[in-house]
């Protein structure tokens, strides 16, 4: 004589399914939000670095010192925003041969990248990163102080 089969008790299974579904959807969502914030922080830092580089170049006494000052200012601006240890390319251009003369207009461009958080180095090409660039233009005034 066989016993009658009892119906399977499904109490609590909705909670388990909800938790698993929540984890499966929440983890990618949190990753996207954190990555977006990291890229936005890098964009703000790159914009600030370009502005600082252009201003540092414009305030330097000559072009050679200006290029060095622009590089230092860009790296410092990135470090202030927590972007350290990344490759930074600072390019300064102007229309004239002497960028510190009369009515020259200086354009500083900063190229860098931010590494996406928690992204593994699976494909062997380095950690995934997001390239960023910014430029800032500063006019050199027609009236300048002349050193005695």
């Amino acid at each position: 004589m066989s016993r009658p089969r009892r119906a399977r008790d499904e109490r609590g299974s909705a909670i388990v399914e909800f938790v698993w579904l929540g984890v499966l959807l929440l983890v990618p969502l949190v990753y996207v939000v954190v990555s977006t914030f990291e890229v936005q922080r890098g964009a703000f830092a790159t914009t600030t670095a370009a502005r600082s580089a252009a201003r540092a170049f414009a305030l330097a006494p000559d072009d050679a010192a200006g290029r060095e000052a622009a590089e230092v200012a860009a790296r410092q601006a990135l470090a202030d925003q927590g972007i350290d240890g990344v490759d930074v390319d600072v390019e300064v251009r102007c229309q004239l041969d002497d960028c510190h003369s009369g009515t020259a207009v200086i354009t500083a461009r900063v190229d860098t990248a931010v590494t996406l958080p928690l992204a593994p180095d699976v494909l062997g090409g380095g950690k995934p990163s997001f390239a960023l660039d910014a430029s800032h233009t500063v006019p050199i005034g027609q009236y300048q102080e002349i050193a005695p």
Side-chain angles (χ1 to χ4, degrees):
M1 181 182 262
S2 72
R3 290 184 171 170
R5 291 178 72 185
R6 289 188 343 192
R8 185 171 168 205
D9 187 14
E10 296 205 12
R11 284 182 292 168
S13 66
I15 291 176
V16 172
E17 291 171 7
F18 178 75
V19 167
W20 275 109
L21 187 60
V23 167
L24 289 175
L25 293 176
L26 190 62
V27 168
L29 179 65
V30 167
Y31 177 75
V32 166
V33 168
V34 169
S35 295
T36 302
F37 288 159
E38 188 68 22
V39 170
Q40 188 64 43
R41 180 175 67 129
F44 285 143
T46 305
T47 302
T48 302
R51 182 174 182 262
S52 297
R55 293 182 68 191
F57 187 91
L59 294 173
D62 59 15
D63 291 355
R67 293 192 193 287
E68 185 176 327
E71 181 83 24
V72 170
R75 289 191 182 282
Q76 183 62 47
L78 290 170
D80 288 347
Q81 297 292 328
I83 310 289
D84 287 327
V86 296
D87 292 333
V88 179
D89 182 31
V90 179
E91 178 189 348
V92 180
R93 293 174 301 184
C94 67
Q95 300 89 352
L96 305 175
D97 292 334
D98 180 15
C99 293
H100 284 84
S101 66
T103 58
V105 176
I106 297 168
T107 300
R109 179 182 168 98
V110 175
D111 294 311
T112 188
V114 292
T115 304
L116 297 178
L118 305 172
D121 186 12
V122 220
L123 302 176
K127 288 198 176 261
S129 62
F130 195 88
L132 298 167
D133 65 82
S135 63
H136 187 75
T137 302
V138 174
I140 298 293
Q142 184 175 7
Y143 303 104
Q144 299 177 357
E145 178 181 356
I146 298 176

